[in-house]
Amino acid sequence: MNKYAIVLAAGKGTRMKSIREDVSKVSFPILGRPMLQWVLEALKSLQLDQIVTVVGFGGATSEEIAKPYGEVVWQNEQKGTGHAVMMAAPVLEDKDGVTLICCGDTPLLTDKTLAALLSAHETNHNALTLLTAVVDDPHGYGRIVKKDGRVERIVEQKDCTPDLDAVHEINAGVYAFDNRELFRHLSRLTPNNAAKEYYLTDVIGMFVEEGLKVSSFSIADVAETMGVNDRYQLSVAAKSMQRRINKRWMLHGVTFEDPETAYIGPEVKLSRDTVIRPNTYVLGKSWIGHENIIGPGTYLENVRIGERNVIQFCHMTDTIVDDDTDLGPYFRTRKGVHIHSHAHVGNFNEFKNIEFGEGSKCAHLSYLGDANIGEGVNVGCGTIIANYDGVNKFHTDIGDHVFLGSGTTIISPVTIGDYGFTAAGSTINRDVPAHDVGIARARQENKPGYADVLHERALAKKNGK
Ligand code: UD1
Ligand code: CA
């Protein structure tokens, strides 16, 4: 049987109270990934024949997220969930098969649950199977009204009478529909309700009235069904996702000293015996090898970290670190940094576009940009590579076993040969050949007894003489 999905993502998200007109609710991120993409990823693993996403409010951002997953259709006016599904008619209407409908604001739904819903739908030969959950606080959700244990209809929060308000079984907003029956009934919806919207949920009552087979499929983990309508719910969903991911890594052999303050993105790979210490983020497409100690207080994004590194209080993006290095505290790297094995980079350093050779050291307070630095180099405290003239960036090459004295300023482009040496406080703007010493500072002169003269003069000035 052919299988399709429609993802509803056009809604305004009024309850998010954003001042932006160009950002849809479903593009709000959870661990760096938009809510809509979480839903699309779950659908993707079901290998459906087609995924159609309905976008509208702030639709350009949603379209960008949804395009790689399939078809995108627009709902230019947000007239309700039923109306949103109608927008998919030109793509799906005349097809045989089953159509999953889910909302772009339920990021916690798993592929496992969606697959179970589909299989229940097929086994029971239903015209409609809807995902329901029994929750402690049903407020805001559509309530499942049953008669003799069978679903009769769904009543939305806004239309709830007090007795329905007390119903704890809710509509999760996820459905498996016979595709042809779905579109046949949509055209009969009317906006006769408190919200003046075309409710997709009204289709359920129509199916039942016509004697089409409708069943509910109750989900075990109710947390999965959570819809995000406001920023409080966004935080609850994010916490849930964080716990789910961290638990998976812990069971895989990664230690978390405090999982509540460790944020691991969905595209991150961690390896066994690595320790994640408190207040640490690992986001983007990051890969972390075995036996590293990451954190506390570390932010990593798009990094590749080898084995047995110690990385404390660091902020690193688009960076490669090999093995056995010791980095931080307070080390920042930006695009294009590669730290080779056994290197040490200590406190208050910033690197951008740097190859930092094996066993090299930069213990404190330096800025290095646009340079290749060889093996066994010592970068003295307060070294600066002046790589930018306000318009252009220039490249510097520093050979193996070079010693850069404290306070060296290198004005790029410069080449310093192997075993070269710069005297502390030098401003180097010419090449230093291998094994040579570059000194570029005024020669010191001492004036005997002159300190006392200066002091007397200062006192006299203070006393007005
Ligand atoms: C909806 C269901 C409710 C269910 C809940 C589950 C309806 C009428 N109600 O309520 O029964 O318990 O989800 O979370 O379906 N959308 C559009 N176009 C629109 C309106 C909404 O694309 O015109 C999209 C939204 O972007 C959102 C989804 O549909 O992703 C659900 O809309 P929302 O307004 O959040 O519905 P709920 O009030 O949560
Ligand atoms: Ca919702």
Side-chain angles (χ1 to χ4, degrees), residues 64-100:
E64 204 174 305
I65 297 161
K67 251 208 170 124
Y69 295 86
E71 203 85 24
V72 173
V73 297
W74 282 76
Q75 183 198 26
N76 291 320
E77 253 184 293
Q78 284 74 57
K79 297 191 205 162
T81 47
H83 181 256
V85 178
M86 285 179 214
M87 302 301 110
V91 186
L92 293 178
E93 193 171 35
D94 55 358
K95 294 190 171 160
D96 286 319
V98 49
T99 296
L100 266 179

Side-chain angles (χ1 to χ4, degrees), residues 8-11 15 25-26 54 75 77-81 84 103-106 140-142 154 156 171-173 175 197 199-201 225 227 229:
L8 308 182
R15 289 165 276 182
K25 171 175 83 171
V26 295
V54 186
Q75 183 198 26
E77 253 184 293
Q78 284 74 57
K79 297 191 205 162
T81 47
C103 299
D105 67 349
T106 52
Y141 291 96
I154 296 177
E156 289 306 310
N171 169 28
Y175 323 80
E197 287 186 351
Y199 286 163
L200 174 61
T201 44
T225 63
N229 298 318

Side-chain angles (χ1 to χ4, degrees), residues 256-330:
F256 283 70
E257 284 185 1
D258 179 10
E260 290 295 296
T261 66
Y263 304 86
I264 310 299
E267 292 179 55
V268 172
K269 298 275 175 288
L270 303 177
S271 306
R272 288 154 70 182
D273 293 320
T274 273
V275 178
I276 304 290
R277 305 195 63 198
N279 295 322
T280 291
Y281 292 76
V282 188
L283 299 176
K285 286 193 192 345
S286 291
W287 188 92
I288 314 269
H290 296 294
E291 294 183 277
N292 295 286
I293 298 174
I294 313 278
T298 292
Y299 181 94
L300 305 177
E301 190 175 343
N302 299 328
V303 298
R304 188 180 172 88
I305 309 284
E307 301 182 354
R308 297 174 304 276
N309 299 283
V310 178
I311 302 179
Q312 308 177 60
F313 295 103
C314 288
H315 190 292
M316 310 177 88
T317 52
D318 305 296
T319 292
I320 298 170
V321 175
D322 294 345
D323 305 328
D324 303 291
T325 71
D326 176 11
L327 308 178
Y330 311 108

Side-chain angles (χ1 to χ4, degrees), residues 398-415:
I398 295 174
D400 296 338
H401 306 289
V402 165
F403 183 95
L404 300 175
S406 292
T408 295
T409 298
I410 294 168
I411 302 178
S412 296
V414 153
T415 297

Side-chain angles (χ1 to χ4, degrees), residues 158-276:
K158 282 186 181 163
D159 306 297
C160 269
T161 51
D163 56 322
L164 285 177
D165 222 12
V167 172
H168 283 252
E169 186 170 13
I170 58 111
N171 169 28
V174 184
Y175 323 80
F177 272 100
D178 175 273
N179 186 64
R180 280 188 184 277
E181 294 293 358
L182 167 67
F183 285 100
R184 201 162 66 81
H185 287 79
L186 279 177
S187 51
R188 289 169 39 202
L189 285 178
T190 55
N192 294 332
N193 50 57
K196 302 269 176 286
E197 287 186 351
Y198 294 88
Y199 286 163
L200 174 61
T201 44
D202 285 349
V203 170
I204 285 94
M206 292 180 189
F207 271 49
V208 173
E209 268 170 35
E210 284 185 26
L212 291 169
K213 195 167 175 209
V214 176
S215 309
S216 59
F217 178 81
S218 184
I219 189 173
D221 178 11
V222 296
E224 266 191 45
T225 63
M226 178 182 183
V228 174
N229 298 318
D230 57 38
R231 296 193 203 220
Y232 171 68
Q233 290 172 326
L234 180 69
S235 78
V236 174
K239 187 45 87 179
S240 231
M241 192 64 87
Q242 176 198 12
R243 287 182 178 153
R244 188 191 283 176
I245 291 175
N246 291 355
K247 182 174 175 186
R248 183 162 70 85
W249 287 121
M250 287 185 262
L251 298 180
H252 182 75
V254 177
T255 298
F256 283 70
E257 284 185 1
D258 179 10
E260 290 295 296
T261 66
Y263 304 86
I264 310 299
E267 292 179 55
V268 172
K269 298 275 175 288
L270 303 177
S271 306
R272 288 154 70 182
D273 293 320
T274 273
V275 178
I276 304 290

